[in-house]
């Protein structure tokens, strides 16, 4: 047996750990810091709290608050110009996956030549980047500890990923108090994103014993706490557990990769700007049903991990997970594709584009056809 398992970030976890931010900044000797966040983080008052801590470090601060959902090449390039002009020597990213992914991408261009589009793929970032402190405000994307930045190429109309160990945030401040302001719908969607990461990484054809352990543990924690966090956003124990489960799951999928759910979600986001977590959640049950025949034993293990009663008949037990995920999405009021604005005539185009997604290489069921994807999309419609 032989495998690689990569973990890099220095993680500070718990309520109130945001107060350690000045110490981290000073530890790197930063002088010019760019703080990256979106308008939602600003409206929630979180950016003000973070900036208060950044200012305690006595550094010059440049704010980039134009983060958009599913950040594009253009927004990366715009922010990179500002960062270079300000001679930024470190980043603080505050928010969900979009803010942290954007900061990772800007960071690439600080020490590597050319445009961000040329770094799509695996292992393309040759030069080390600047320190990046990630402060997540959601519990779902795991971007704070992964080596992935997901971006939209508006010219090619695709969502692509930069995957490189160099871009993993150097430090993480995981303070569950920053997730309390999330609306129930966002809590649900981001939580389902984390569940997707757990199950897809577990059945990935690149899974290893270490990634599988983290997949299962992360799934258990998230499944047991997601509904609690959605029903009562002030349940700090549930919020804390959701953030913990998200980090654990991130260790899994950043090493084992993902599959068909993400291939479909990337395509939906590229064409229709669907929120990533919602796109994943909408198709997750149907993709797990589709994949069940290729990895029945693993589907049963996932079902057992969340306490589902198995019968001992693998032919029926392999579908327990997909049925439970469908029930969960309905309980959490996850929208169907049609409710998210997708039209029936869009499905064939989407299905064709899904087949070009590189992440399909890691799906346990290979040789996915256009008709396979069409069938999944119809069920999710």
């Amino acid at each position: 047996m032989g495998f690689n398992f990569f973990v890099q970030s220095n993680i500070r976890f718990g309520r109130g750990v945001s107060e350690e931010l000045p110490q981290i900044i000073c530890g790197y000797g930063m002088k010019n810091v760019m703080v990256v966040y979106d308008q939602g983080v600003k409206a929630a008052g979180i950016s003000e709290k973070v900036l208060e801590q950044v200012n305690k470090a006595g550094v010059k601060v440049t704010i980039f608050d134009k983060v958009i959902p599913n950040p594009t090449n253009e927004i990366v390039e715009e922010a990179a110009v500002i960062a270079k002009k300000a001679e930024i020597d470190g980043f603080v990213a505050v928010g969900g996956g979009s803010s942290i992914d954007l900061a990772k991408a800007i960071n690439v261009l600080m020490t590597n030549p050319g445009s961000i589009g040329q770094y799509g793929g695996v292992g393309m970032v040759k030069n080390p980047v600047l320190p990046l402190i990630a402060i997540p405000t959601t519990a779902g994307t795991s971007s704070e500890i992964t080596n992935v930045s997901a971006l939209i190429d508006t010219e090619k109309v695709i969502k692509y990923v930069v995957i490189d160990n160099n871009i993993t945030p150097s430090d993480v401040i995981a303070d569950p108090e920053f997730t309390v302001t999330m609306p129930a719908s966002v809590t649900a969607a981001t939580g389902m994103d984390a569940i997707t990461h757990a199950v897809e990484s577990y059945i990935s054809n690149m899974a290893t014993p270490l990634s599988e352990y983290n997949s299962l543990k992360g799934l258990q924690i998230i499944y047991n706490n997601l509904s609690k966090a959605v029903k009562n956003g002030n349940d700090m124990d549930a919020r804390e557990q959701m953030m913990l489960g998200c980090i654990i799951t991130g260790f899994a999928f950043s090493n084992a990769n993902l599959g068909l759910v993400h291939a479909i979600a990337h395509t939906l986001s590229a064409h229709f700007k669907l929120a990533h977590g919602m796109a994943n959640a909408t198709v997750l049950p149907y993709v797990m049903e589709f994949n069940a025949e290729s990895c029945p034993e693993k589907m049963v293990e996932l079902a057992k991990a969340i306490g589902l009663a198995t019968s001992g008949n693998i032919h029926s037990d392999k579908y327990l997970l997909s049925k439970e995920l469908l029930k969960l999405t309905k309980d959490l009021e996850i929208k169907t594709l049609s409710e998210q604005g997708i039209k029936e005539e869009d499905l064939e185009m989407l299905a064709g584009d899904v087949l070009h997604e590189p992440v399909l290489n890691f799906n346990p069921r290979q040789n996915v056809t256009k008709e396979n994807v069409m069938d999944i999309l119809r069920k999710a419609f």
Side-chain angles (χ1 to χ4, degrees), residues 205-222:
N205 56 30
M206 284 191 67
T208 68
L210 271 177
S211 70
E212 289 172 347
Y213 174 82
N214 284 277
S215 297
L216 288 178
K217 188 62 179 176
L219 175 62
Q220 288 173 339
I221 294 172
I222 297 160

Side-chain angles (χ1 to χ4, degrees), residues 117-351:
Q118 71 191 63
Y119 295 99
V122 181
M124 302 298 290
V125 181
K126 303 307 179 186
N127 299 326
V129 297
L130 302 173
L132 167 57
I133 304 164
I135 306 178
T137 61
T138 64
T141 69
S142 303
S143 182
E144 64 270 17
I145 53 93
T146 69
N147 59 356
V148 181
S149 176
L151 305 167
I152 298 288
D153 185 321
T154 53
E155 290 187 7
K156 297 179 180 178
V157 196
I158 58 169
K159 188 167 187 175
Y160 70 100
V161 289
V162 178
I163 303 177
D164 197 291
N165 291 347
N166 275 328
I167 72 171
T168 307
S170 51
D171 296 81
V172 178
I173 292 179
D175 189 336
E177 291 180 351
F178 284 168
T179 67
V180 173
T181 57
M182 267 196 301
S185 60
V186 178
T187 300
T190 55
M192 287 304 299
D193 189 17
I195 285 180
T196 304
H197 293 153
V199 298
E200 280 212 293
S201 61
Y202 188 70
I203 63 175
S204 164
N205 56 30
M206 284 191 67
T208 68
L210 271 177
S211 70
E212 289 172 347
Y213 174 82
N214 284 277
S215 297
L216 288 178
K217 188 62 179 176
L219 175 62
Q220 288 173 339
I221 294 172
I222 297 160
Y223 177 81
N224 289 330
N225 289 278
L226 176 55
S227 294
K228 296 177 186 176
V230 171
K231 291 175 183 175
N232 179 9
N234 292 313
D235 185 337
M236 283 308 301
D237 288 337
R239 290 290 194 189
E240 187 172 70
Q241 288 299 303
M242 285 296 296
M243 182 163 271
L244 178 63
C246 179
I247 289 173
I248 292 171
T249 302
F251 292 149
F253 88 81
S254 60
N255 282 277
N257 276 299
L258 301 163
L260 178 56
V261 179
H262 273 73
I264 297 174
H266 287 173
T267 305
L268 287 167
S269 294
H271 284 282
F272 298 103
K273 298 181 179 179
L274 264 61
H276 178 67
M278 188 67 77
N280 274 330
T282 304
V283 301
L284 175 61
Y286 309 109
V287 175
M288 290 303 107
E289 179 186 34
F290 170 77
N291 278 329
E293 70 177 53
S294 63
C295 51
E297 294 85 1
K298 281 199 163 186
M299 288 297 182
V300 173
E301 290 304 312
L302 286 166
K304 288 179 178 177
I306 58 175
L308 302 182
T310 56
S311 67
N313 181 344
I314 196 169
H315 298 294
S316 58
D317 287 349
K318 66 186 178 184
Y319 295 113
L320 288 173
L321 178 73
S322 58
K323 291 177 180 178
E324 177 62 17
L325 291 174
L326 181 58
K327 178 179 180 297
L328 183 59
T329 57
K330 292 185 181 302
D331 290 345
L332 296 176
E333 299 182 355
I334 298 297
K335 295 179 180 179
T336 65
L337 290 179
S338 59
E339 289 171 338
Q340 294 179 71
I342 309 302
K343 295 181 172 56
E344 194 167 1
E345 54 264 33
D346 299 324
L347 301 186
E348 185 169 357
M349 174 275 293
L350 288 166

